[in-house]
Amino acid sequence: MACESVFITGAVTLSAYVLVGDHGRPILNSTALLWRSLLIAFVCQLCLYYADVYEFGITTDRRELLARILKALGGSLIILAALYFQFPRLVIGHGVVSMAALLAVALVIGWRLAFVWMAKSLGPRKRFLIIGTNSTALNFAREFEGRDELGVEIVGFVDPDAAASGTAAVRVIGSIEDIPAIVRARSVDRVVVSLTDARGKLPMATLLQMKLDGVTFDHLASVYEEYTGKIAVENLRPSWLIFTDGFRKSRGHAIVKRVTDICFAAAALIVLFPVLLLVALAVRLTSQGPILYHQRRVGRNGRLFYVHKFRSMLADAEATTGAVWAKKGDARITPLGRFMRRSRLDELPQLWNILSGHMSVVGPRPERPEFVGALGEQIPFYAQRHVVKPGLTGWAQVRYTYGASVEDAMEKLQYDLFYIKHMSIGLDVLIMLATVKTVLLRRGA
């Protein structure tokens, strides 16, 4: 992203020097050109971000990459045209933006292809050996499939309960006794240990000598968190949560977060008041029943509160079934409700929950008490998500799709725990930016 910002700014500057005549020389010798170039770079970067150009898993196909870059820069030209129409003083010179756009496309595409080539040709920067073959270890290895830009290679697995033999499902390349030889022969940089599989089976004296010789040993849970943005709860022990860094709460952070919540919710309610009225009117005219839907949810420390939403289902949708998760193609959802769910308009009344202190702008999604009890029995550490206020949006909401099963709840809990561990204002800002993209692209509803 930094390199592409430099390329775009350079393309604008070069185009200005080529196309601006003598009458425009003063602007070339002032800071005005720099600020206007940075504005163009900012708009382009914003559009590239919303085109998912920085999601490397999506842009592995060159045609897909080219299409997304052209789409992003096309959107940039539209935004810049609107800005120039409203603020003519921002214009650098006739034809500068058009020429800069052509240069920027060539530079960005060339840089992307060069980046992918370097990631593949220069080889992995880190070589991992995984001790353990449980589901968490296998999921961790799958995270690196097709991700050359991460510079990581899984050289294989060591199965503490098996002899040194390869299998079709898992690349088992040795046993516990073979770890020193494997590390030397395959130039392993980090040995990632699943303590669930290997506890009590490791030759500690040998591994200690390897540690002193420069080999890095890591807990699987820590490395999994580092590369995936979530905490694996399967086979996770409470001791890891206790002794790992993070999970710190300070009074200063709590005060800043609460002030931010109040300011954001109050400003959003004022700005969106006409939208709220229009949505309320649409709900009233398109289906029978109340405009707002009030539902019990579990908040911080397990306290119950009522969350407020625009009604997106038929009235008394659960009268005969009781509390059930919504599912794809749910017949209970009204036609307007489907649109509101995709656009997240049904969530807007929750701004009042934020003002009243039951919720925060960013946090884990508040769940219904009917589901919390069952999920707490089936999913380890599920209750820990209630140590913070639930949020209108959150890390799990922008990183994972809508959850409607125990498996989905397990996956989202892993993101929630990551957020709770690393909770900060900076992470909140990142999540809010990602939320805007999620809403605009209508994902995950």
Side-chain angles (χ1 to χ4, degrees), residues 30 119 162 179 192 242 326 377 396 401:
S30 68
I179 293 176
V192 182
I242 293 171
E377 294 177 358
T401 185

Side-chain angles (χ1 to χ4, degrees), residues 348-360:
L348 291 180
Q350 292 178 47
L351 292 168
W352 181 254
N353 288 114
I354 296 173
L355 275 181
S356 62
H358 293 127
M359 293 177 61
S360 180

Side-chain angles (χ1 to χ4, degrees), residues 113-344:
L113 296 178
F115 184 86
V116 172
W117 176 83
M118 286 188 292
K120 292 181 178 179
S121 301
L122 298 181
R125 297 183 299 278
K126 297 178 181 177
R127 296 169 62 82
F128 289 180
L129 174 67
I130 301 178
I131 301 178
T133 56
N134 58 38
S135 59
T136 302
L138 299 182
N139 289 335
F140 175 67
R142 292 190 190 102
E143 293 285 345
F144 297 99
E145 294 178 359
R147 299 293 305 276
D148 295 313
E149 79 281 354
L150 294 177
V152 171
E153 179 184 0
I154 306 297
V155 301
F157 296 80
V158 167
D159 191 342
D161 297 319
S165 60
T167 67
V170 182
R171 297 197 316 276
V172 177
I173 59 176
S175 63
I176 290 288
E177 293 74 18
D178 299 320
I179 293 176
I182 293 172
V183 170
R184 289 193 301 270
R186 304 196 179 224
S187 302
V188 172
D189 299 298
R190 298 175 77 173
V191 179
V192 182
V193 183
S194 171
L195 292 181
T196 304
D197 285 353
R199 188 177 298 275
K201 303 174 184 177
L202 297 174
M204 300 309 297
T206 303
L207 299 186
L208 176 59
Q209 185 58 49
M210 294 170 60
K211 172 82 171 181
L212 296 175
D213 290 339
V215 178
T216 300
F217 288 85
D218 289 295
H219 194 305
L220 175 61
S222 299
V223 185
Y224 190 97
E225 173 197 356
E226 177 184 346
Y227 282 93
T228 66
K230 55 186 177 181
I231 294 176
V233 298
E234 290 183 302
N235 306 314
L236 187 66
R237 294 179 177 271
S239 58
W240 184 87
L241 294 171
I242 293 171
F243 292 107
T244 187
D245 292 333
F247 296 106
R248 296 189 180 93
K249 293 190 289 184
S250 68
R251 184 171 179 81
H253 173 266
I255 293 173
V256 172
K257 189 172 176 65
R258 181 58 185 150
V259 170
T260 304
D261 288 341
I262 293 173
C263 293
F264 177 88
L269 282 171
I270 293 171
V271 172
L272 296 175
F273 185 71
V275 177
L276 292 168
L277 288 179
L278 289 175
V279 175
L281 180 61
V283 173
R284 170 64 70 192
L285 295 177
T286 56
S287 63
Q288 295 181 348
I291 294 173
L292 293 176
Y293 183 56
H294 311 285
Q295 190 178 70
R296 286 197 314 164
R297 297 292 176 100
V298 179
R300 185 179 181 183
N301 297 325
R303 296 190 185 95
L304 298 181
F305 71 99
Y306 280 91
V307 72
H308 312 298
K309 303 174 70 173
F310 283 121
R311 183 175 55 81
S312 60
M313 289 188 174
L314 299 172
D316 300 322
E318 295 181 338
T320 58
T321 62
V324 293
W325 269 312
K327 58 182 181 293
K328 188 175 181 179
D330 200 318
R332 300 172 300 165
I333 303 175
T334 66
L336 176 64
R338 295 187 191 284
F339 170 75
M340 289 194 299
R341 284 174 172 243
R342 294 291 291 178
S343 59
R344 306 316 199 275

Side-chain angles (χ1 to χ4, degrees), residues 372-429:
V372 166
L375 292 173
E377 294 177 358
Q378 299 178 63
I379 302 176
F381 306 106
Y382 189 81
Q384 273 61 51
R385 72 194 298 273
H386 298 130
V387 300
V388 298
K389 288 182 182 180
L392 180 63
T393 184
W395 186 237
Q397 289 92 306
V398 300
R399 299 283 291 185
Y400 192 69
T401 185
Y402 177 80
S405 67
V406 174
E407 292 75 18
D408 289 334
M410 167 84 83
E411 189 71 16
K412 298 191 81 168
L413 173 63
Q414 297 182 129
Y415 287 109
D416 288 334
L417 290 178
F418 180 91
Y419 171 76
I420 294 169
K421 180 181 179 182
H422 299 280
M423 192 164 56
S424 67
I425 299 301
L427 181 56
D428 285 357
V429 172

Side-chain angles (χ1 to χ4, degrees), residues 23-72:
H23 64 281
R25 292 298 171 187
I27 194 174
L28 301 180
N29 299 321
S30 68
T31 58
L33 177 60
L34 174 62
W35 289 112
R36 295 175 191 184
S37 299
L38 290 175
L39 172 64
I40 295 173
F42 173 76
V43 172
C44 290
Q45 291 284 194
L46 198 64
C47 291
L48 288 169
Y49 169 72
Y50 280 97
D52 279 334
V53 172
Y54 297 108
E55 296 290 339
F56 286 94
I58 297 176
T59 58
T60 52
D61 183 83
R62 292 185 178 183
R63 288 176 296 182
E64 180 71 16
L65 173 63
L66 176 61
R68 288 179 179 272
I69 290 176
L70 291 176
K71 178 181 178 180

